[in-house]
Amino acid sequence: TETVKKTMHKADSPDVVAAMIVQAAQDLSPKITYHPGMAKRVRFLRSVVPAALFSKAIRKDLGLKP
């Protein structure tokens, strides 16, 4: 539960997610997926960082065993 608390503290605010929902609803050419705030950065990193390194970084950030 401590890991969840720390992760939620770093998560995007509901305002960021709500703004993305409004954008998606008003988009004249909607995308299949939308990635607000931190999710957008994580998705980008996932596309350029090797899988093993990405997994190691996520596990370290979440305080999980390697």
Side-chain angles (χ1 to χ4, degrees):
T1 54
E2 188 62 34
T3 300
V4 172
K5 287 179 185 176
K6 287 195 296 189
T7 302
M8 292 304 293
H9 180 70
K10 293 188 269 182
D12 292 324
S13 72
D15 294 338
V16 173
V17 178
M20 185 60 65
I21 292 170
V22 170
Q23 178 186 344
Q26 295 176 342
D27 212 343
L28 296 177
S29 299
K31 303 173 191 172
I32 292 175
T33 59
Y34 289 83
H35 300 95
M38 182 62 82
K40 187 174 187 175
R41 292 186 290 274
V42 170
R43 185 163 191 240
F44 170 75
L45 286 174
R46 179 64 187 98
S47 70
V48 297
V49 174
L53 183 60
F54 182 80
S55 179
K56 184 177 180 178
I58 293 295
R59 293 181 72 73
K60 181 179 179 183
D61 188 52
L62 294 175
L64 301 173
K65 295 178 183 176

